Amino acid sequence: MHPQTSLALFCKVVDNYGDIGICWRLARQLEQEHGVAVTLWVDDLRSFRRICPELAIDHEMQQVNAVTVRHWRDQDGAFAADDVADIVIEFFACDIPPGYIKAMSQRTQRPVWLNLEGLSAETWVEGCHTLSSPQPLSLTKYFFFPGFTNRTGGLLHESSLQQERQAFQQDPAAMAAFLGRFGVTPAEMTSLKISLFCYPQAPVAELFAVWQRNAKPITCLVPEGVAADAVQAFVGQAAAAGISATHRALTVHVLPFVPQPDYDKLLWACDLNFVRGEDSFVRAQWAGKPFVWHIYPQDENLHHVKLNAFLQATTAKTGSLLAFSLGWNAAAKESVDWSAIWPQFEADLPKIAELSTDWQQKMLANGDLASNLLRFAETVR
């Protein structure tokens, strides 16, 4: 891809941190690894700043990590053809401004217009990946799907990620120093370390009750505002960042939201990761550790179809992980006895970690999403 290629990425924040998390990672990688001039349009700068502290929420336009960030409000006015990027991406079918679309049609060389879809392991995705869709004003939109096979766009993955992860995980002092920033003690470093990121309906209170009776100590790290009711009940006060409490075998630390590179380190440093949505779900797969996915809920339990598709596709699983994942997402056909499921799942964690490494290699063979996207854009320009 030519270094002067420009790209506009439009993001409307629906899931507080997932949407912007994906778009921010993609924008940075396109700029840093491919020399693309990226403009990221975002409608919710407050959510964005939780994962990117250097962002100013009162600026209409700013440069962050060499990416131009625009506050996307109601820019329904006219755009000039010169305002339009070479590649235009709408994330997850958000409606980009009509004036921008009109300006796209006025460019001498029409931009490549992509709808970057949500991640799914469902088989129909392969048939829809890169399909074209004629649009008004003689424009064409293409559907681009991330995915888990070589007939999809693959997953977001920076070129240096594996090397950085391995160096960090092979340095116990670095991991201890990192977790020590959040109050994790040297004694707690020898416990079963769990990061917890989930939606409000997750059965956290029930799991906390089981973990308190665990034979091995457990240290649970929870971002502020996540599982708020269960965490507040456990710590006995408002669950603000920096608060911690211990009851029997379980210690809970409340963490501040951290920049994305530090969230990666959190996943790398823990023995088990609970993740949600799409962004942290993908990062957990690159961490090489066991994880449990809390999928974004949809009406009529449509999300259970996506959950089951992934559980069938992944090779990094055991029977206990399947049972735990279905229970965690309220997708089990029978009532869930966490006191029975947890011990078997905990015993299987070393095996799941081994399988996770094999799964990583399968995913790496598909190439990374950013490179695959630019390669496709070249073919249709």
Side-chain angles (χ1 to χ4, degrees):
M1 184 60 63
H2 192 278
Q4 297 304 310
T5 297
S6 60
L7 182 146
L9 174 55
F10 289 83
C11 174
K12 286 204 170 181
V13 179
V14 179
D15 175 12
N16 288 347
Y17 313 109
D19 307 292
I20 185 54
I22 296 162
C23 291
W24 183 226
R25 288 189 196 278
L26 176 60
R28 293 204 315 276
Q29 185 179 358
L30 288 168
E31 191 284 323
Q32 293 170 3
E33 296 186 14
H34 299 279
V36 176
V38 180
T39 298
L40 175 57
W41 292 80
V42 185
D43 66 335
D44 181 355
L45 296 182
R46 291 185 182 276
S47 289
F48 190 178
R49 190 167 67 172
R50 298 291 294 278
I51 60 171
C52 179
E54 57 266 49
L55 186 81
I57 61 173
D58 57 350
H59 288 191
E60 293 299 309
M61 183 167 66
Q62 57 194 297
Q63 289 285 121
V64 185
N65 293 167
V67 173
T68 300
V69 177
R70 298 285 302 269
H71 190 187
W72 182 10
R73 301 211 223 201
D74 297 318
Q75 285 95 344
D76 291 333
F79 287 81
D82 290 344
D83 296 330
V84 175
D86 301 319
I87 303 171
V88 179
I89 301 177
E90 55 184 45
F91 180 71
F92 211 37
C94 63
D95 295 322
I96 61 181
Y100 196 94
I101 295 174
K102 183 177 180 180
M104 288 164 60
S105 72
Q106 296 168 344
R107 269 187 47 143
T108 303
Q109 182 179 10
R110 301 294 172 84
V112 178
W113 185 2
L114 303 175
N115 177 9
L116 180 56
E117 286 284 355
L119 175 63
S120 177
E122 295 169 276
T123 54
W124 62 263
V125 165
E126 295 181 345
C128 294
H129 178 56
T130 70
L131 279 184
S132 61
S133 173
Q135 301 293 309
L137 304 176
S138 299
L139 293 168
T140 301
K141 182 193 301 186
Y142 298 90
F143 295 93
F144 201 88
F145 283 81
F148 303 97
T149 74
N150 60 9
R151 286 182 283 187
T152 69
L155 301 176
L156 275 174
H157 180 275
E158 300 83 4
S159 60
S160 62
L161 185 63
Q162 292 295 86
Q163 183 178 358
E164 292 173 3
R165 175 185 66 84
Q166 290 168 357
F168 183 77
Q169 290 178 332
Q170 292 168 5
D171 188 344
M175 288 196 290
F178 175 77
L179 292 182
R181 290 166 40 189
F182 307 114
V184 176
T185 66
E188 289 166 357
M189 286 299 297
T190 65
S191 67
L192 181 66
K193 299 176 293 297
I194 300 174
S195 76
L196 178 63
F197 190 37
C198 61
Y199 294 110
Q201 62 270 33
V204 175
E206 293 90 331
L207 204 54
F208 277 4
V210 173
W211 286 351
Q212 289 180 59
R213 303 191 298 271
N214 203 55
K216 180 179 181 179
I218 293 176
T219 301
C220 182
L221 306 168
V222 191
E224 184 178 20
V226 173
D229 291 344
V231 174
Q232 181 170 323
F234 184 86
V235 301
Q237 58 181 302
I243 296 295
S244 66
T246 301
H247 297 298
R248 300 172 67 180
L250 175 61
T251 297
V252 173
H253 290 277
V254 182
L255 277 55
F257 266 78
V258 295
Q260 285 182 328
D262 281 349
Y263 182 69
D264 283 332
K265 289 182 178 179
L266 178 65
L267 297 176
W268 301 344
C270 287
D271 304 299
L272 170 63
N273 295 304
F274 287 79
V275 291
R276 78 181 202 189
E278 183 173 328
D279 181 53
S280 60
F281 170 46
V282 171
R283 303 315 281 193
Q285 292 175 65
W286 297 132
K289 297 295 186 75
F291 70 90
V292 177
W293 181 30
H294 202 200
I295 188 170
Y296 188 77
Q298 295 177 288
D299 292 338
E300 300 179 359
N301 289 329
L302 293 177
H303 55 297
H304 289 169
V305 176
K306 290 181 66 174
L307 172 68
N308 281 296
F310 174 72
L311 292 176
Q312 290 302 312
T314 181
T315 55
K317 65 190 177 191
T318 61
S320 62
L321 175 58
L322 290 173
F324 198 105
S325 298
L326 293 173
W328 190 245
N329 286 278
K333 295 180 179 179
E334 302 175 353
S335 60
V336 179
D337 181 358
W338 293 107
S339 63
I341 291 179
W342 169 253
Q344 184 59 57
F345 181 49
E346 183 183 22
D348 284 343
L349 289 178
K351 180 179 180 181
I352 298 169
E354 289 182 15
L355 296 171
S356 296
T357 301
D358 296 336
W359 177 251
Q360 277 187 348
Q361 296 306 308
K362 291 178 183 290
M363 295 303 98
L364 287 170
N366 298 327
D368 71 276
L369 180 70
S371 299
N372 291 340
L373 186 151
L374 292 179
R375 195 174 299 115
F376 171 73
E378 276 293 312
T379 67
V380 297
R381 288 186 74 175

